[in-house]
Amino acid sequence: MKPNADVCVIIAAKNAGQTIGRAITSALREPETAEVVVVDDGSSDSTASVSRQMDDGTGRLTVVSFEVNKGPAAARNHAILMSKSPVLAILDSDDFFFPGRLHNLLSQSGWDFIADNIAFVDEDKASTAHLALEAFPAAPRILNLHEFIAGNISKRGVRRREIGFLKPLMRREFLDKHRLRYQESLRLGEDYDLYARALTKDARYKIIHSCGYGAVVRSNSLSGSHRTVDLKRLYEADRAILAQTGLSPQVRALIARHERHIRGRYELREFLDIKRQSGSRAALAHALGNPSAIPAIATGIFADKIDYFRRQPEAAPVALGGSGGLRYLLQPPSRAV
């Protein structure tokens, strides 16, 4: 371990016995890693035991277990509390770092958060993904709040590229100064919520286009599914931000736009849940009793029908519209469309 290693890699894991070893190995391989904290979030498989087997003898790996599942936000907050490193990195339990990621990020200056590009890859190609990785120029730039919010509003018929997928390094000093932690009531969008709140407090969020994070996408990924109530809690999180004092009219308008987007998705999901559980008549009565939700419901149903007829078979990962090879979240400036 290098004397200047100053990054804590945080891995929240639930039933990740088959992938957690790869994630831990990729984190410990980075010389800049001072700590790897794995929080086994109420797993019923071998997640904890496999994690401990990955110990490389350097004393950098810590594995703790929750008896019951508390969600990724609670697991990450617990890891932040346990750790001491000045820089925090989030790594999902089925993902991995490409070699040299931390060095490339830490070589940049002038940031509170810094993220690099993400390569989405199928599980069966993860072990050889580094061979197909393209070498994009860093082209560093600052991500502002407007771009961040706009980049987290998905569009139908367009492959998902939400900026919230980015996994930035975070300076503990900034989080502590502004009393920022993950909101533990969220099981969806907990990353978006933390970064949005940080940006409202003038965080310097830098991005580079070179790729150092590998996101493995599977059709049964937990991150690809969510409950209706999770959408409700996410738009309520936006409302909590809007309740802050001192927000500029521009910032308030941006957060309100995201709140409407998520609330519309919730209203459609709630209507469909009622229809499935209690029938069309009950769903119609619900809609008529909530007239403000009718536009979102009608628009969503129409769009779902259009998507169904347009849907074409394509190679996995289905969840993110992949083609079986690497797909990048950020398009380098020379390739942006």
Side-chain angles (χ1 to χ4, degrees):
M1 181 173 62
K2 286 184 178 181
N4 63 344
D6 58 1
V7 179
C8 174
V9 180
I10 294 171
I11 307 176
K14 179 186 178 185
N15 295 337
Q18 295 186 1
T19 62
I20 190 71
R22 176 178 61 206
I24 294 172
T25 298
S26 75
L28 289 173
R29 182 176 55 207
E30 298 291 282
E32 297 76 18
T33 297
E35 307 170 84
V36 176
V37 179
V38 176
V39 180
D40 170 24
D41 190 15
S43 297
S44 58
D45 70 350
S46 59
T47 294
S49 60
V50 171
S51 297
R52 293 187 177 95
Q53 291 170 19
M54 296 300 106
D55 195 330
D56 65 352
T58 62
R60 293 180 292 166
L61 177 65
T62 300
V63 181
V64 296
S65 296
F66 289 165
E67 292 186 4
V68 297
N69 177 255
K70 298 181 181 181
R76 291 171 181 174
N77 283 343
H78 187 72
I80 293 172
L81 180 64
M82 291 182 58
S83 65
K84 298 179 180 179
S85 302
V87 178
L88 304 171
I90 301 299
L91 175 59
D92 287 347
S93 60
D94 49 359
D95 295 344
F96 59 92
F97 291 164
F98 287 105
R101 182 193 188 223
L102 296 183
H103 171 77
N104 289 338
L105 289 169
L106 292 171
S107 66
Q108 298 288 326
S109 61
W111 54 270
D112 303 302
F113 293 70
I114 185 168
D116 54 359
N117 213 338
I118 291 180
F120 295 108
V121 59
D122 295 339
E123 175 66 50
D124 61 357
K125 292 184 172 64
S127 62
T128 58
H130 63 286
L131 300 176
L133 193 66
E134 295 185 57
F136 299 135
R141 63 187 178 89
I142 294 294
L143 182 72
N144 61 38
L145 181 62
H146 183 279
E147 184 181 1
F148 178 78
I149 297 298
N152 278 285
I153 298 178
S154 57
K155 300 177 178 63
R156 288 181 179 271
V158 178
R159 287 183 178 180
R160 296 182 65 190
R161 278 206 168 91
E162 284 94 323
I163 297 297
F165 282 135
L166 291 175
K167 292 291 191 292
L169 303 188
M170 303 177 285
R171 292 201 188 278
R172 182 190 297 271
E173 181 181 15
F174 184 90
L175 297 179
D176 289 348
K177 176 181 177 180
H178 298 282
R179 300 182 180 180
L180 290 171
R181 291 296 186 268
Y182 290 96
Q183 187 170 173
E184 298 186 8
S185 64
L186 295 177
R187 298 271 180 144
L188 171 71
E190 67 279 353
D191 299 300
Y192 156 82
D193 173 69
L194 178 65
Y195 308 153
R197 285 186 284 127
L199 285 166
T200 65
K201 299 182 183 300
D202 299 321
R204 297 169 300 169
Y205 192 147
K206 181 174 283 191
I207 59 174
I208 60 175
H209 292 83
S210 50
C211 185
Y213 191 98
V216 179
V217 183
R218 297 167 293 157
S219 59
N220 63 344
S221 172
L222 290 176
S223 62
S225 61
H226 54 264
R227 303 169 300 169
T228 301
V229 69
D230 295 329
L231 287 166
K232 185 174 189 291
R233 289 172 179 167
L234 182 53
Y235 82 72
E236 288 175 342
D238 275 334
R239 290 183 173 181
I241 297 175
L242 290 169
Q244 296 178 15
T245 58
L247 297 180
S248 71
Q250 294 81 5
V251 168
R252 199 169 292 279
L254 288 168
I255 303 296
R257 179 186 172 196
H258 187 267
E259 188 272 344
R260 289 192 300 271
H261 171 69
I262 299 300
R263 178 160 42 89
R265 289 173 55 191
Y266 164 75
E267 289 165 344
L268 174 61
R269 281 282 296 269
E270 184 182 38
F271 174 85
L272 295 175
D273 286 349
I274 294 172
K275 180 181 178 182
R276 183 175 60 255
Q277 296 166 6
S278 304
S280 299
R281 185 172 296 180
L284 180 60
H286 167 77
L288 293 175
N290 297 272
S292 63
I294 292 177
I297 294 170
T299 301
I301 291 174
F302 177 76
D304 283 345
K305 297 291 185 183
I306 296 298
D307 286 348
Y308 176 81
F309 288 111
R310 287 179 175 173
R311 194 171 299 146
Q312 299 290 331
E314 60 184 352
V318 176
L320 288 169
S323 60
L326 296 186
R327 183 175 67 84
Y328 299 95
L329 178 65
L330 300 175
Q331 292 299 302
S334 60
R335 286 174 44 175
V337 294

